[in-house]
Amino acid sequence: MFVPLDQRLKRAKKSEVNFLPDFPEGKAHSDFEMERSAMVMEMKKRKVDWKQIGEMMGNTFPLRRKEIVEDEPLVAQVKERWPALFREQQIEAEFARLTSVDLKSSFFTGLDQYLLRFLELYKAKSGIVGLTRLMRCLDDSCTDRKRTVLLLGLPHFLKEDSSCFFKTVEVTDDDDTFTQGMKVGVVMVKDGEDIIATSVVLEESVILPDLKDFPHAISLLMGLLFALNIDYPKELRYTFEVFQKVLMNIGGGQCSSLVHGLRNKLLRKTF
């Protein structure tokens, strides 16, 4: 069956400015494939030349985007062909190639800009059990904990269900058990009352283990969702829209009415 051209075109979903670049003039698929293969070999070395990897990742960006956008491979297949893409430094670099925005700087700047105002709004919603429980965990002197409460509390505030996406498990739990059914998410591992590990999960596999904390995990998850062209989970549509369009200020000119209203509340001064 004939499909109209405008339906076959792959379009940016998240306000990417460099979504699907053309191959440079004079460069063929075989040229990129040769460099990609060399990069895979470099990644297998005991002492990796990370500067060279960075240059090769930049050079092969058009091929990588073509494969990811047009072929829509599984995450495991991307990881096999492009192992460097799952290193923290390259997640940040790929995000910058796609958006011309610094991943962590944009995320944490927005997070801290709205931090106190979000917590004020959360405090006013005393009837939401999940929010109330999180607010009890606050320590006035700990910025990281405030950031975590803001991010974990957002789905509750927006009346979305995050139970299948943001999980807390025990250190004795088996990986296959707690990742089962998780297409996109972050898992925090507890030992007693302490969080000892935080991991990003995609397609039921731990993709980024042992991250610093929950806010850093969310920032890298955002980077991976852009890099791998993965849709935001429908159950957390508004939560991820806030992450992108409010906190990171990417595509903020086109918000849903719910997120637009929230942003107005955040910008409203309190007395």
Side-chain angles (χ1 to χ4, degrees):
M1 184 179 70
F2 175 73
V3 179
L5 180 61
D6 60 351
Q7 292 183 24
R8 284 180 278 149
L9 291 174
K10 300 287 187 174
R11 292 188 172 87
K13 302 174 184 178
K14 305 185 182 79
S15 302
E16 300 95 334
V17 297
N18 197 18
F19 180 65
L20 188 56
D22 294 329
F23 284 8
E25 189 174 349
K27 279 275 191 176
H29 183 282
S30 58
D31 298 322
F32 290 115
E33 184 60 30
M34 190 180 302
E35 190 158 11
R36 185 202 65 79
S37 298
M39 184 163 46
V40 171
M41 294 302 295
E42 180 64 31
M43 287 291 295
K44 292 178 180 179
K45 293 180 180 178
R46 182 174 297 180
K47 190 173 181 179
V48 178
D49 185 338
W50 291 110
K51 183 179 179 182
Q52 184 182 13
I53 289 292
E55 292 172 355
M56 295 170 105
M57 285 291 285
N59 294 341
T60 54
F61 178 63
L63 174 62
R64 189 162 55 254
R65 290 305 294 171
K66 181 178 173 62
E67 289 183 1
I68 288 172
V69 173
E70 296 183 356
D71 299 342
E72 300 180 357
L74 295 172
V75 172
Q77 293 172 317
V78 180
K79 193 171 184 180
E80 184 177 348
R81 282 184 58 79
W82 304 96
L85 184 59
F86 296 83
R87 297 296 180 130
E88 188 167 333
Q89 186 178 12
Q90 285 307 315
I91 294 171
E92 294 182 56
E94 194 83 344
F95 187 82
R97 292 182 194 108
L98 286 163
T99 65
S100 297
V101 172
D102 184 286
L103 174 62
K104 287 184 179 175
S105 176
S106 64
F107 184 79
F108 284 98
T109 296
L111 196 60
D112 292 341
Q113 177 184 347
Y114 295 116
L115 186 55
L116 296 181
R117 183 65 180 130
F118 260 115
L119 297 181
E120 288 174 355
L121 293 175
Y122 288 1
K123 190 178 293 186
K125 293 284 187 179
S126 56
I128 301 177
V129 176
L131 267 184
T132 303
R133 189 183 303 120
L134 284 167
M135 292 297 286
R136 291 198 195 109
C137 300
L138 279 179
D139 179 345
D140 288 341
S141 64
C142 184
T143 299
D144 284 341
R145 186 167 295 181
K146 289 177 182 177
R147 289 170 169 171
T148 299
V149 168
L150 187 166
L151 296 169
L152 285 174
L154 188 56
H156 296 286
F157 185 78
L158 296 172
K159 299 180 181 178
E160 294 185 310
D161 183 6
S162 64
S163 59
C164 293
F165 304 94
F166 304 151
K167 291 185 179 181
T168 302
V169 300
E170 297 296 330
V171 68
T172 52
D173 290 342
D174 183 68
D175 282 15
D176 294 337
T177 302
F178 67 69
T179 61
Q180 188 172 6
M182 286 187 78
K183 297 300 181 186
V184 173
V186 173
V187 173
M188 292 173 286
V189 181
K190 286 181 69 175
D191 186 3
E193 293 302 312
D194 298 323
I195 300 294
I196 60 169
T198 305
S199 302
V200 167
V201 174
L202 293 175
E203 295 178 0
E204 301 188 348
S205 295
V206 173
I207 298 298
L208 299 176
D210 301 323
L211 299 173
K212 178 182 176 183
D213 52 32
F214 187 78
H216 280 81
I218 292 293
S219 70
L220 290 169
L221 173 60
M222 290 298 291
L224 280 172
L225 294 182
F226 271 76
L228 299 171
N229 199 37
I230 295 174
D231 291 339
Y232 297 144
K234 292 180 180 178
E235 297 86 343
L236 291 182
R237 170 193 165 189
Y238 295 114
T239 296
F240 278 88
E241 186 181 352
V242 172
F243 290 165
Q244 177 191 318
K245 296 183 178 180
V246 177
L247 298 185
M248 304 177 80
N249 195 28
I250 297 173
Q254 295 179 319
C255 293
S256 63
S257 57
L258 178 65
V259 172
H260 182 73
L262 172 58
R263 187 165 57 184
N264 287 341
K265 287 180 182 178
L266 292 169
L267 294 172
R268 201 173 298 153
K269 292 184 178 180
T270 56
F271 297 93

